[in-house]
Amino acid sequence: GSLDVSEIRINHITDILDPIWAEKVETASRLRGRIEAVLNWAKVRGHRDGENPAAWRGNLSMVYSPKSAIRKVQHHPALPYVDIADFVSHLRDRDSVSAKALEFLILSAGRTGETIGATYTEINRDTALWTIPASRMKSGVQHVVPLSKRALQIIEEMDRQGSSPFVFPGANPQLSMSNMAFLQLLKRMGRPDITVHGFRSSFRDWAADLTEYSNQVIEKALAHTVGGVEAAYRRGDLLEKRRRLMDDWADYVDGEGSVIQLRKVS
């Protein structure tokens, strides 16, 4: 406001950061950095003296937890797996690209970026495999996803709707769907309490609680990277076991797994 830059003290900085540091730590951290840069410029130009009240090390680091520590306790709100079948049933009542894309994401246990960027060239319908190139993966490693019958059915439904290189196109068929489409869909469904990324947790919890697939198979299905000895053990794709896992998940999502028998997996 009207406060001269030479008069800015640490209490002015904390008044700004206190309300948002815990809830919006990324925004707060960036804001602190920009204030620090402005005040550094002001000092160099002779408009103020002394230490920078927005500096982190040895200053605000004594007041706030680092953003890495705050991030560790944040979780993506997930839908309990017992509610998945009912949720997907309502999802199927909606004839929209975003609804079909979200169902496909749930069935494949994928991420938003991987799903909305999917192209028909990545899908092999004969082998029922979706090969996501390394350039589109968070891990930077190619990932192969076995597709259930329902997932393939969604591909076919989308293919019949028009010509686009993307399975889930946006308003412009030459562009993929917006990454905000899922958020808007969940709001329209009255479910702002859950996140799209949380469906991966739903899948993980279901697989751990109601099946006897090994941790290696489940983690591979989620495209998680693990170092050390386990990484060497997991070099194989475990493709056939993952195919059975994804088929079982599709059955559960379809409501056929309301009563589950633990499957023995060799």
Side-chain angles (χ1 to χ4, degrees):
S2 59
L3 190 67
D4 191 278
V5 71
S6 64
E7 300 176 35
I8 295 176
R9 300 291 181 265
I10 192 169
N11 62 292
H12 299 117
I13 309 300
T14 55
D15 284 348
I16 294 169
L17 298 180
D18 280 351
I20 61 174
W21 191 266
E23 296 299 322
K24 300 179 180 179
V25 66
E26 186 63 40
T27 299
S29 179
R30 290 179 183 179
L31 177 60
R32 182 211 62 77
R34 288 168 185 169
I35 295 173
E36 181 182 18
V38 170
L39 296 183
N40 279 340
W41 179 91
K43 182 177 180 179
V44 170
R45 291 295 184 176
H47 298 298
R48 62 172 287 120
D49 297 310
E51 298 298 321
N52 191 324
W56 177 254
R57 183 172 298 179
N59 186 48
L60 291 179
S61 64
M62 303 292 103
V63 179
Y64 300 111
S65 299
K67 65 178 184 178
S68 58
I70 294 175
R71 280 176 173 171
K72 286 178 182 177
V73 299
Q74 292 178 336
H75 302 284
H76 297 280
L79 185 69
Y81 60 78
V82 294
D83 297 328
I84 284 285
D86 185 58
F87 176 85
V88 171
S89 177
H90 289 296
L91 199 58
R92 290 175 183 172
D93 290 336
R94 295 174 173 269
D95 187 23
S96 66
V97 174
S98 59
K100 293 185 187 301
L102 183 55
E103 184 182 354
F104 184 84
L105 177 147
I106 292 170
L107 291 168
S108 60
R111 298 182 176 90
T112 296
E114 298 159 11
T115 301
I116 65 175
T119 63
Y120 289 106
T121 58
E122 296 173 358
I123 309 292
N124 187 322
R125 303 184 205 190
D126 293 332
T127 59
L129 294 175
W130 174 27
T131 302
I132 311 172
S135 60
R136 293 210 310 107
M137 290 298 299
K138 180 180 179 181
S139 63
V141 178
Q142 177 182 282
H143 182 51
V144 179
V145 183
L147 298 174
S148 64
K149 289 181 180 179
R150 174 56 186 162
L152 284 174
Q153 185 182 358
I154 293 172
I155 298 291
E156 296 293 342
E157 290 174 3
M158 293 306 305
D159 199 12
R160 289 194 296 268
Q161 290 188 15
S163 58
S164 171
F166 294 99
V167 178
F168 305 108
N172 181 342
Q174 298 308 307
L175 299 176
S176 66
M177 189 179 68
S178 165
N179 60 4
M180 292 297 292
F182 289 148
L183 179 61
Q184 294 166 355
L185 172 62
L186 289 174
K187 285 183 178 179
R188 289 195 298 271
M189 294 179 71
R191 296 307 308 259
D193 56 314
I194 58 177
T195 65
V196 174
H197 195 84
F199 287 112
R200 286 167 56 82
S201 296
S202 305
F203 167 80
R204 183 69 179 84
D205 292 344
W206 165 82
D209 291 351
L210 297 184
T211 82
E212 288 192 349
Y213 287 96
S214 69
N215 183 65
Q216 289 80 11
V217 172
I218 298 167
E219 292 297 296
K220 187 67 175 176
L222 289 164
H224 285 164
T225 54
V226 178
V229 175
E230 189 176 0
Y233 174 73
R234 291 174 51 204
R235 279 179 188 154
D237 275 344
L238 306 171
L239 196 56
E240 289 311 309
K241 290 182 180 180
R242 288 200 291 122
R243 190 183 295 279
R244 296 199 300 272
L245 171 63
M246 302 317 288
D247 285 343
D248 285 349
W249 173 236
D251 287 343
Y252 187 83
V253 167
D254 204 37
E256 297 177 21
S258 57
V259 178
I260 282 280
Q261 295 292 325
L262 290 180
R263 172 179 285 198
K264 299 292 185 180
V265 182
S266 59

